[in-house]
Amino acid sequence: MSTKLSSGTRRTAVLLGTAAVSLIAAASAAQAHVTVNPNTEPQGGYTKVSFRVPNEEANASTTGIEVDIPIDHPIASVSIRPVPGWTATTTSSQLATPIKTHDGELSQAVSKIVWTGGKIDPGQFQEFDVSLGPLPSDTDKIVFKALQTYSDGNVVRWIDIQQPGQPEPDHPAPVLHLTPAGAAATTGGTGSSTGASAGGTGGTGASPGAAAPTTSPSVSLAADNNAKPAGSDTAARGLGIVGLVVGALGLGTAVVALRRRNTAASPAAPSSQD
């Protein structure tokens, strides 16, 4: 007995399968942001964070990454872990109000880090580690606006901040949320360590092995003083789960439809005769 699928059944299966694949692909793309990890740390402490940079292009490599270190809540010590194949440079800016450290007053602080010379090929990512401290105690967040430069000249500006009650922007800025000192970090803040303070509270230079500071960053960051932060990873994970669920439901519906049409189309078994 042969089974033939109607054209309507085939179209239904194709449409549902295409929708599922599209949703899953969109969910994967939504997670491919430049992020800071961990994204929650206690105020006043030292920490090591990683700026995770995925390549979102199919035919170009990432050749540069620039991260803005805001100086409205300055960080006295910024040290960079060398990344093989990449050269790190820092820019320091004058502070409106000097900050006091154990080594005296600082009138300048690192305001920008630029990594160049390496590449991140399609389908790959790279992490850039930075030691920071002490983290400010007069704010609940640090917004690290970032620029990602590709080999084809395209520059992606990760500088947007999600507004309350609004959808996640296309290019959200990495945000480090700060909790009151002594409070448990919601994300497990495993990046904090005593060793992170090795650079001292009075230094602003890069760690040994990093390139000398420069005052000529490759690309400028746009100012956005009125923006308000919100988490981006949660929304991305949620979208990914929704895409997977919808895809599974779509495929299940297609299978049920096929079985029903096959049953209706099957001829009755012939009766035996002498």
Side-chain angles (χ1 to χ4, degrees):
M1 180 178 65
S2 62
T3 301
K4 295 183 179 180
L5 301 180
S6 69
S7 59
T9 300
R10 289 195 297 270
R11 285 196 300 270
T12 300
V14 170
L15 289 174
L16 288 173
T18 301
V21 171
S22 299
L23 283 171
I24 294 172
S28 299
Q31 298 183 51
H33 300 330
V34 172
T35 58
V36 59
N37 303 278
N39 65 2
T40 303
E41 287 290 340
Q43 295 173 337
Y46 285 79
T47 186
K48 187 270 289 181
V49 298
S50 297
F51 292 98
R52 186 172 300 156
V53 181
N55 189 323
E56 294 185 309
E57 299 289 340
N59 301 306
S61 299
T62 295
T63 56
I65 183 71
E66 178 178 326
V67 175
D68 180 41
I69 311 294
I71 59 172
D72 53 346
H73 301 284
I75 300 174
S77 177
V78 177
S79 300
I80 305 167
R81 172 178 287 178
V83 179
W86 292 82
T87 298
T89 57
T90 61
T91 298
S92 295
S93 297
Q94 196 73 22
L95 301 178
T97 302
I99 55 177
K100 294 182 178 180
T101 71
H102 294 296
D103 298 324
E105 285 191 344
L106 289 181
S107 58
Q108 290 188 336
V110 172
S111 58
K112 195 182 305 295
I113 307 173
V114 179
W115 287 272
T116 56
K119 68 174 183 175
I120 308 171
D121 290 326
Q124 299 180 356
F125 75 94
Q126 181 61 267
E127 290 186 333
F128 301 89
D129 294 345
V130 179
S131 173
L132 304 169
L135 298 175
S137 301
D138 55 350
T139 184
D140 60 358
K141 63 185 176 295
I142 304 175
V143 179
F144 299 103
K145 296 180 181 180
L147 302 184
Q148 183 176 9
T149 301
Y150 284 92
S151 57
D152 59 3
N154 183 35
V155 177
V156 180
R157 305 168 66 83
W158 301 98
I159 63 174
D160 299 330
I161 307 299
Q162 183 175 1
Q163 301 299 320
Q166 298 296 318
E168 181 186 56
D170 292 336
H171 302 99
V175 178
L176 176 63
H177 300 279
L178 302 178
T179 59
T186 58
T187 59
T190 55
S192 298
S193 66
T194 304
S197 62
T201 57
T204 59
S207 61
T214 179
T215 56
S216 301
S218 57
V219 188
S220 297
L221 285 164
D224 189 0
N225 296 326
N226 297 322
K228 298 179 180 179
S232 61
D233 289 345
T234 300
R237 294 192 190 98
L239 181 57
I241 294 173
V242 170
L244 292 174
V245 172
V246 172
L249 290 176
L251 293 176
T253 303
V255 171
V256 172
L258 291 174
R259 288 180 176 175
R260 289 180 176 175
R261 288 183 178 274
N262 291 342
T263 301
S266 300
S271 60
S272 62
Q273 295 180 353
D274 293 334

